[in-house]
Amino acid sequence: MRVAVLSAEAVPFSKTGGLGDVAGALPKALRQIGVDALLITPCYLQTKGEYLWNVAVDDLHVNWRDRTIRAKAFYSEANGSPTFLIDAPEFFHRSSIYGFSEDYERFAFFNRAALVLLKRIGRAPEIVHLNDWHCGFGAVEIAHLRYWDSYWRNTKTVFSIHNLAYQGGFDAGELWKLGFSSDFERNAFMFNGYASAMKAGLSVSDMLSTVSRRYAYEVQQPENGYGLDWLLRSRANRFVGITNGVDYDVWNPATDEELPANYSIHDMSGKRECKRALLENFNLPVDLDRPLFAIVTRLTAQKGIELIQQVAGELLATGAYFVALGSGDKIYENFLQKLRDYAPRQVGVYKGYNEALAHRIEAGADIFLMPSKFEPCGLNQMYSLRYGTVPIVRAVGGLDDTVENYDRVNNRGSGFKFNAFRADRFLEKIYEALFVYAEPETWRNIQINGMKIDNSWQNAARNYLRLYNSV
Ligand code: ADP
Ligand code: GLC
């Protein structure tokens, strides 16, 4: 089966969050089970030159507004699968990957260029797997093209929601300028008086998926559906949840090259070394017996940072360390800075994006906090499990599906889980975790339970293959 995966970001070429991890790993995992998968993603200013192996095509002619743009496509296999990177500097050579008022245009162009490339390659994919709102445009183009271009006649689309909160909304007056002028195309995009790329993808794709089973349920409820719950309910028989996997080639404490010491379930001594190095890294006094809490996250309301704000005082009063790596909303960055200034011997903060540090924190921390408001899947809790870092999570979306609350009677469970979005409930779990941390034998059991869990991509890839086959 020939599958083309399209994504706005993919590791190692680009990444702002979990979408990058997923899109980078899925094509490789699909190939390992015999699927002829390739990836198409933009070539950003931020994409490292070492990953661009050669120019595959240097004359991609893309019809765009009232002109034709000549784009290039680089070729690479740096992520373990054939990848084409669309190079069009006017759209993708920017100071950041997202965040521009014309983002909708940039990704509309990306989709159109990807389809021109797929036609140029010469064998139409049977499945085009589109990810998040950035690829809603491609779903509409293919649904439209199938009727008048025999090349696309047998191509089906699968559209995956990674985060329904971002919908790619824009002025409906732009639709015809972008070339979406038929009633069919217009109807696909129209949503409450404006155009929504997410709604378009959800309306016209042959199959829909999202990144955990629990989130698939949640987004069909009015409280979490951002106005699109009705559409998802109406397509419920074509909508599945497939939990993301972990790329253990990248996230494995036994082989991770970013770590000062490696370790595994059989010999955990390296983890103590990682903790020591992390404390030194943040200029904190080294007391290896004191528990170390951590977060690695985009600093947005989604991640429940306000709950961390509310419990920070109590957490520090226990004497524990707290280390944070994140960037995003100024209000949260300022909170972290203030916390660090208030308790410089207990708190370490790195504001920004730092891949290597993310690995070192996963390894060096004892307890990982993810009190998210909502969480389609979440990857960090799964990385934490593998690194023997016990997660405290809120029971939503993928966090609920991937972490089992610890039950000391039966010695079952891999972390601590609370339900209501309330500081007192969160704090209760923090205290419970600290209580258990003080019993090294019990703590070790939780760590081992988590480290044994197999969240590899193999499983998820098989489920995607089943999904592709179903269309
Ligand atoms: P989301 O995609 O909503 O941000 P996920 O948990 O799915 O959440 O994925 C987040 C990914 O981004 C993880 O790989 C995490 O390590 C990484 N990440 C988030 N913030 C940072 C940061 N400031 N520096 C380095 N990596 C980060
Ligand atoms: C989104 C979600 C996150 C998920 C990631 C990859 O960014 O916020 O929960 O893990 O996509 O699917």
Side-chain angles (χ1 to χ4, degrees):
M1 177 179 285
R2 290 188 303 282
V3 177
V5 178
L6 267 61
S7 175
E9 54 182 271
V11 164
F13 312 107
S14 56
K15 168 170 164 180
T16 69
L19 173 62
D21 288 337
V22 170
L26 176 62
K28 175 172 68 174
L30 288 169
R31 292 188 79 81
Q32 282 163 358
I33 57 168
V35 177
D36 183 2
L38 61 83
L39 171 69
I40 307 181
T41 191
C43 179
Y44 296 101
L45 189 59
Q46 292 77 5
T47 306
K48 286 192 186 140
E50 65 190 274
Y51 297 136
L52 307 173
W53 289 7
N54 56 269
V55 176
V57 185
D58 77 347
D59 57 345
L60 276 185
H61 295 289
V62 185
N63 292 329
W64 187 247
R65 294 187 179 255
D66 49 6
R67 60 196 172 114
T68 302
I69 290 180
R70 181 174 167 163
K72 272 197 303 213
F74 288 105
Y75 182 79
S76 178
E77 289 179 15
N79 63 328
S81 79
T83 296
F84 294 89
L85 297 109
I86 303 290
D87 185 39
E90 76 174 273
F91 296 106
F92 306 125
H93 285 201
R94 303 278 175 104
S95 54
S96 60
I97 291 178
Y98 310 120
F100 304 93
S101 58
E102 69 283 16
D103 277 355
Y104 68 94
E105 252 194 302
R106 300 171 60 224
F107 293 106
F109 178 86
F110 163 63
N111 282 255
R112 188 160 302 158
L115 297 191
V116 173
L117 174 71
L118 282 172
K119 190 153 180 189
R120 182 74 164 269
I121 290 173
R123 286 174 75 214
E126 287 147 294
I127 301 284
V128 176
H129 185 164
L130 303 154
N131 292 282
D132 262 357
W133 74 263
H134 323 98
C135 299
F137 304 95
V140 178
E141 297 225 357
I142 291 170
H144 187 67
L145 279 172
R146 281 208 277 249
Y147 286 101
W148 58 272
D149 183 346
S150 61
Y151 184 78
W152 295 103
R153 192 156 297 147
N154 296 317
T155 296
K156 302 285 185 194
T157 48
V158 169
F159 184 88
S160 295
I161 305 170
H162 294 262
N163 196 336
L164 195 60
Y166 302 100
Q167 300 196 349
F170 58 97
D171 188 320
E174 288 290 292
L175 279 173
W176 70 272
K177 296 184 205 157
L178 298 179
F180 299 108
S181 49
S182 70
D183 281 351
F184 168 80
E185 292 165 307
R186 218 183 131 68
N187 287 338
F189 281 99
M190 286 310 291
F191 181 50
N192 292 339
Y194 63 93
S196 158
M198 176 63 92
K199 189 233 162 192
L202 297 178
S203 313
V204 303
S205 300
D206 295 296
M207 283 297 278
L208 309 177
S209 77
T210 189
V211 290
S212 69
R213 285 176 61 172
R214 171 84 192 251
Y215 192 63
Y217 167 80
E218 288 170 350
V219 289
Q220 293 181 55
Q221 316 307 314
E223 348 32 303
N224 305 306
Y226 301 90
L228 290 169
D229 46 292
W230 59 273
L231 176 57
L232 292 167
R233 285 196 303 277
S234 75
R235 306 206 62 198
N237 61 342
R238 293 183 162 262
F239 181 34
V240 299
I242 299 177
T243 304
N244 288 329
V246 173
D247 187 341
Y248 289 126
D249 291 342
V250 181
W251 294 95
N252 179 357
T255 53
D256 194 330
E257 286 172 6
E258 305 290 0
L259 306 187
N262 292 108
Y263 59 92
S264 70
I265 212 160
H266 310 294
D267 177 5
M268 294 283 280
S269 54
K271 186 164 173 70
R272 256 177 110 72
E273 285 318 302
C274 292
K275 182 169 177 178
R276 178 195 304 282
L278 187 61
L279 290 170
E280 284 169 358
N281 190 151
F282 280 104
N283 285 320
L284 293 166
V286 177
D287 175 354
L288 295 181
D289 294 327
R290 266 206 270 166
L292 198 171
F293 288 81
I295 58 172
V296 175
T297 185
R298 292 184 295 119
L299 294 170
T300 66
Q302 171 190 346
K303 303 295 179 180
I305 312 297
E306 66 185 84
L307 287 192
I308 295 183
Q309 275 174 302
Q310 288 170 40
V311 304
E314 280 92 343
L315 194 151
L316 294 182
T318 68
Y321 294 112
F322 175 70
V323 159
L325 163 61
S327 64
D329 296 354
K330 277 284 159 296
I331 159 172
Y332 299 131
E333 291 193 354
N334 292 342
F335 150 67
L336 291 175
Q337 188 56 53
K338 271 198 185 139
L339 197 66
R340 151 89 208 174
D341 295 344
Y342 166 73
R345 292 175 63 79
Q346 272 178 282
V347 179
V349 172
Y350 184 107
K351 284 177 289 182
Y353 185 89
N354 187 328
E355 192 76 32
L357 187 57
H359 286 250
R360 290 184 199 137
I361 291 179
E362 282 295 358
D366 296 303
I367 299 166
F368 198 92
L369 302 176
M370 280 182 92
S372 303
K373 226 175 217 150
F374 65 92
E375 197 61 74
C377 179
L379 296 171
N380 276 121
Q381 80 282 12
M382 294 197 271
Y383 301 156
S384 298
L385 290 172
R386 180 51 63 116
Y387 282 69
T389 302
V390 176
I392 301 184
V393 304
R394 181 158 172 255
V396 283
L399 297 175
D400 194 30
D401 289 354
T402 56
V403 176
E404 190 182 342
N405 191 51
Y406 186 63
D407 161 6
R408 66 158 58 226
V409 178
N410 300 304
N411 182 28
R412 279 186 58 92
S414 52
F416 298 91
K417 210 155 67 163
F418 65 103
N419 282 290
F421 190 77
R422 281 176 39 179
D424 57 340
R425 297 297 157 80
F426 182 32
L427 200 53
E428 214 168 81
K429 287 294 163 187
I430 290 176
Y431 287 143
E432 188 182 338
L434 287 173
F435 185 81
V436 181
Y437 180 81
E439 299 171 5
E441 278 309 304
T442 322
W443 191 254
R444 181 145 169 71
N445 286 339
I446 307 187
Q447 287 180 305
I448 289 176
N449 290 350
M451 291 176 88
K452 275 189 185 154
I453 297 174
D454 179 8
N455 284 316
S456 58
W457 265 106
Q458 242 187 14
N459 230 345
R462 285 219 179 81
N463 285 327
Y464 277 111
L465 180 56
R466 219 165 282 142
L467 174 65
Y468 301 152
N469 278 320
S470 74
V471 278

